[in-house]
Amino acid sequence: MNIEKVGGQIAALRKAKGITQSELGDRIGVSFQAVSKWERGETLPDITLLPDLAKILETTIDFILLGNEKTIEYKGKITIADMKNGLDCLKKSGEFLGKENIIYRAAIKGINTDLNTDIEEAFSNDYVFEAFLAEAIIQNLISGLYIDISDVKNNFKYEHFKNIVVDYCKRYGIK
C-alpha cells in the first residue's frame, strides 16, 4: 500500500463531494490537520475511522486504500515443504502398496497420461523431481493458492525451475 496514493484518494474523494478538510474532520471526529496529513501522505487514518470515512466519501475501504489496484484473494497457502511431501507421498504409496498394486498403477498411469511424462523417473532423479515440483506449484497458483516467493527462492536447487516459478508468482500478484 502506497501512503501517498491513499492520501491522494482521500483528497480526490473529499473534493469530489465538495467537503472541506475541516468538515470531513468534524464528521469523523478528527482535526482538519489530521485530514491534511492523510492527504499529504504523511500518515494514514486510524483503522477504526476507515468505515466512517468510506461511508462519508461514499466509497469502500478497499477503494480508499487501493484505488483502482486489483486485489487478489487467495484460496489458501502452499509451501515448498508441503509440495515436496505430496510428491514424496506418491512415491511412498508405491512402496507401501507395492508398485504393481492396481491403485498405485492407476494413479501413476493417470499422471503419466495427463502430463505426457514418467512420474516415476522423478522419484530417482533430482532434476526431474524439481520439474514436477515446479509444475505442482504452478498448478496450485493457477487454482488460486498463494506461496511465499522467498520460499521459492530459498528452496529450489535448480535456477531454471526457480525462475519459472518466480515468474508465475509475479503473474499472480506475488512479489
Side-chain angles (χ1 to χ4, degrees):
M1 173 176 24
N2 182 322
I3 192 169
E4 287 87 15
K5 281 178 94 174
V6 172
Q9 285 293 102
I10 294 170
L13 291 164
R14 177 185 58 77
K15 290 173 185 174
K17 296 285 171 221
I19 302 171
T20 67
Q21 289 179 339
S22 291
E23 290 170 331
L24 180 59
D26 289 344
R27 289 175 70 179
I28 57 174
V30 299
S31 67
F32 77 90
Q33 293 96 335
V35 174
S36 177
K37 285 182 178 184
W38 301 341
E39 291 183 0
R40 289 192 314 265
E42 293 177 16
T43 62
L44 287 171
D46 186 274
I47 193 167
T48 61
L49 299 176
L50 290 174
D52 290 336
L53 185 60
K55 185 176 181 180
I56 292 166
L57 298 176
E58 296 178 11
T59 190
T60 64
I61 294 170
D62 280 350
F63 191 79
I64 291 170
L65 297 177
L66 301 171
N68 289 328
E69 292 178 21
K70 184 179 176 188
T71 59
I72 299 172
E73 292 194 24
Y74 299 101
K75 297 177 186 175
K77 184 177 180 181
I78 57 172
T79 65
I80 298 290
D82 289 343
M83 296 290 97
K84 285 180 178 179
N85 285 338
L87 291 172
D88 283 339
C89 285
L90 184 60
K91 175 184 178 183
K92 287 180 182 175
S93 69
E95 295 168 9
F96 294 137
L97 296 172
K99 291 190 178 186
E100 298 309 314
N101 182 289
I102 192 166
I103 296 171
Y104 176 75
R105 294 290 350 134
I108 295 302
K109 181 180 179 184
I111 293 168
N112 289 346
T113 300
D114 286 354
L115 296 177
N116 193 27
T117 191
D118 180 5
I119 183 75
E120 289 176 304
E121 183 183 354
F123 301 152
S124 60
N125 181 321
D126 285 349
Y127 188 80
V128 176
F129 182 86
E130 201 157 279
F132 276 96
L133 177 64
E135 183 61 31
I137 293 166
I138 290 166
Q139 291 304 313
N140 278 307
L141 291 172
I142 291 168
S143 297
L145 296 176
Y146 171 87
I147 189 165
D148 188 318
I149 204 159
S150 65
D151 192 18
V152 174
K153 290 179 178 178
N154 294 329
N155 289 296
F156 267 87
K157 181 177 178 180
Y158 298 99
E159 202 70 27
H160 172 72
F161 296 121
K162 179 192 313 185
N163 292 337
I164 290 170
V165 174
V166 166
D167 286 346
Y168 266 89
C169 287
K170 290 177 182 174
R171 286 187 208 175
Y172 288 91
I174 301 168
K175 299 174 183 164

